[in-house]
Amino acid sequence: MSQHTARGTSGAGPETGWAAGGTLFAGVLMMVTGIISLFEGIAGIVEDEVYARVGSYVFSWDLTAWGWVHLVLGILVAVTGWGILKNMEWARYLGVALASLNIIVQFLFLPYQPVWAIFSMAISVFIIWALVTTESRNTV
């Protein structure tokens, strides 16, 4: 005798549970991270000595240049986070690309803000996971 069980919709698709809530949370995290990066950029542009260098590092830029990098990246990340919250398809792809870029930028920024850089890299990894594990909610 074989037992057949009907597979329900709970947990069957990628749009359930952690991943579905993760997409919404990824959009919020992108907006918050973008705004913090924007303020980080403004601080670096306005006051060049606002960040203390922790140690020597192979790759180094002037802090004003880092300020502009963080300002532009922050604006792009925040706008993309808003697009994710509005469920725009372009925002999902751009969100993965910008989160990947943010990991690289924060790795290079480690000597100036090591704790925030590591935390921001972890947030970006979560954002990438959340955006690639769910499908678009616009199913027609």
Side-chain angles (χ1 to χ4, degrees):
M1 181 172 143
S2 68
Q3 185 178 20
H4 296 287
T5 57
R7 193 172 208 185
T9 57
S10 65
E15 255 323 292
T16 59
W18 283 90
T23 303
L24 177 66
F25 191 49
V28 172
L29 281 177
M30 285 190 77
M31 289 186 68
V32 170
T33 302
I35 291 169
I36 289 173
S37 188
L38 182 115
F39 288 139
E40 210 173 30
I42 291 172
I45 293 168
V46 172
E47 184 64 40
D48 202 32
E49 286 107 22
V50 74
Y51 300 115
R53 190 175 184 88
V54 174
S56 74
Y57 203 55
V58 175
F59 185 80
S60 65
W61 278 358
D62 179 45
L63 282 176
T64 304
W66 275 119
W68 283 106
V69 168
H70 284 292
L71 181 74
V72 170
L73 186 62
I75 291 169
L76 291 173
V77 169
V79 168
T80 304
W82 174 80
I84 289 170
L85 292 178
K86 292 292 186 179
N87 200 29
M88 297 180 182
E89 192 65 28
W90 60 266
R92 299 174 63 81
Y93 299 115
L94 188 59
V96 171
L98 287 176
S100 301
L101 181 63
N102 189 49
I103 290 172
I104 295 167
V105 166
Q106 293 299 332
F107 176 76
L108 296 174
F109 200 64
L110 271 170
Y112 302 101
Q113 284 191 322
V115 175
W116 170 251
I118 291 171
F119 184 69
S120 183
M121 285 188 279
I123 288 173
S124 294
V125 168
F126 172 80
I127 289 169
I128 293 168
W129 171 81
L131 294 179
V132 300
T133 57
T134 58
E135 295 175 6
S136 178
R137 292 173 282 186
N138 289 342
T139 54
V140 178

